Amino acid sequence: MKLDFDAIAPSVLKNFQGGQGQLVSRRYQDENNKITKAILSPGSSIGMHTHGTTSEIIFVLSGEGEMRIDDTEELLRPGDCHYCPMGHGHSLINDTDEELVAVADEYAVFGRVTPEQKVLLIKTLKENGEDAYVIGEIIEGNDSVILN
């Protein structure tokens, strides 16, 4: 399926995740992924934040920026791919005079869990405002926890 980001209405986010300046985001979202084309304005940043229930991949299309992940700093340029695993934190700083354009994919997949763990995962994710779904078997009698 081809995604036409130009056909998706932009969201202008100020001081995103506690950062500074402006981020323009065009996001496609379904039950499995959040795929975003983002433009980080010159002199802007995305604040340090932790991915508690998802991992994120960021692919830089144009511009440059400094990525901070945990205690490491990385310079990102066009063609670079950054990965932030679930449970880790990162921030992105565009301290250049050009826009930083990137595509990001945020996703969560849990495999090889027991039916009881599935119920706990779904309840916890939903309590935290996340969209959560189960693929595969569930415990008879507990369907309402997962489906509601």
Side-chain angles (χ1 to χ4, degrees):
M1 175 174 116
K2 179 180 177 180
L3 297 179
D4 182 1
F5 287 107
D6 292 333
I8 299 172
S11 296
V12 178
L13 308 169
K14 302 283 186 185
N15 306 320
F16 186 63
Q17 299 284 11
Q20 298 179 349
Q22 176 175 289
L23 174 76
V24 178
S25 169
R26 295 174 186 265
R27 174 177 280 183
Y28 168 83
Q29 183 172 343
D30 65 15
E31 65 276 1
N32 298 313
N33 291 288
K34 297 175 186 174
I35 305 170
T36 306
K37 182 176 181 184
I39 301 172
L40 189 59
S41 298
S44 297
S45 65
I46 298 172
M48 180 62 75
H49 60 285
T50 300
H51 284 268
T53 59
T54 62
S55 296
E56 185 174 38
I57 295 170
I58 299 173
F59 185 81
V60 178
L61 300 174
S62 65
E64 293 184 1
E66 180 183 303
M67 179 64 74
R68 295 180 181 166
I69 179 163
D70 299 327
D71 296 327
T72 304
E73 295 180 4
E74 308 167 335
L75 178 62
L76 297 182
R77 295 185 170 127
D80 287 344
C81 184
H82 164 78
Y83 173 60
C84 182
M86 186 183 313
H88 293 263
H90 65 167
S91 68
L92 180 59
I93 302 163
N94 179 359
D95 57 1
T96 73
D97 295 331
E98 296 181 26
E99 293 179 332
L100 189 156
V101 181
V103 175
D105 181 18
E106 189 175 332
Y107 61 93
V109 176
F110 300 94
R112 296 187 180 253
V113 295
T114 67
E116 293 84 5
Q117 290 169 326
K118 287 180 185 180
V119 171
L120 180 60
L121 281 167
I122 296 298
K123 285 175 70 173
T124 301
L125 290 168
K126 287 189 175 191
E127 285 171 1
N128 288 308
E130 299 284 341
D131 291 327
Y133 305 89
V134 171
I135 299 172
E137 77 286 347
I138 52 178
I139 303 170
E140 189 173 322
N142 285 330
D143 298 18
S144 62
V145 171
I146 294 170
L147 301 175
N148 291 332

